[in-house]
Amino acid sequence: MTENELADRELWRTCVHEHGHAQVALALGYRCVIVKVWPNDDGNPDNSAWRGQIQYHENIPAGDMAIICLAGMVAEILLIDFPEDGYTFADAEQQAARIRACQTRRTGVGA
């Protein structure tokens, strides 16, 4: 894989990650003001070539923020890692249904 291909792959991963945060925040009723992705110029080759951040319109309670924070990693796993390992979209939908059921039990939203 070339350096450009690696950077493109990392950009895609960062965008998927930030999108996961934004989608779950929206599903919980919060508004995203801005989603930013920018080149990471910290000089550390062990870090991703890209960084991301979301700003929300309101303060989000800690419990909901924990769910929103996890959503970035979950999005990467469901949309990038699992397909590379042969995990299908149907498998991802089953996992998403389980997550939604847990969220519904916790908040009553989606019932």
Side-chain angles (χ1 to χ4, degrees):
M1 187 175 296
T2 69
E3 197 170 309
N4 284 342
E5 289 170 331
L6 182 58
D8 287 348
R9 182 179 170 93
E10 288 181 5
L11 174 59
W12 172 244
R13 179 174 290 275
T14 302
C15 290
V16 165
H17 182 97
E18 297 305 320
H19 184 75
H21 293 310
Q23 286 299 306
V24 170
L26 291 170
L28 292 173
Y30 301 107
R31 293 174 291 167
C32 301
V33 175
I34 191 167
V35 178
K36 298 189 276 187
V37 174
W38 67 94
N40 183 3
D41 59 0
D42 70 0
N44 185 344
D46 293 331
N47 289 340
S48 173
W50 299 92
R51 295 188 52 97
Q53 178 185 21
I54 297 182
Q55 294 174 356
Y56 303 98
H57 186 265
E58 54 273 296
N59 290 326
I60 299 175
D64 285 349
M65 185 54 83
I67 293 167
I68 292 167
C69 287
L70 289 171
M73 181 180 60
V74 171
E76 288 184 50
I77 291 167
L78 292 177
L79 298 173
I80 297 172
D81 297 334
F82 283 162
E84 289 176 353
D85 294 335
Y87 193 77
T88 67
F89 191 73
D91 296 327
E93 286 179 323
Q94 289 175 347
Q95 290 296 329
R98 289 184 190 120
I99 292 167
R100 281 192 301 274
C102 290
Q103 179 64 18
T104 298
R105 283 193 300 274
R106 188 183 77 71
T107 66
V109 174

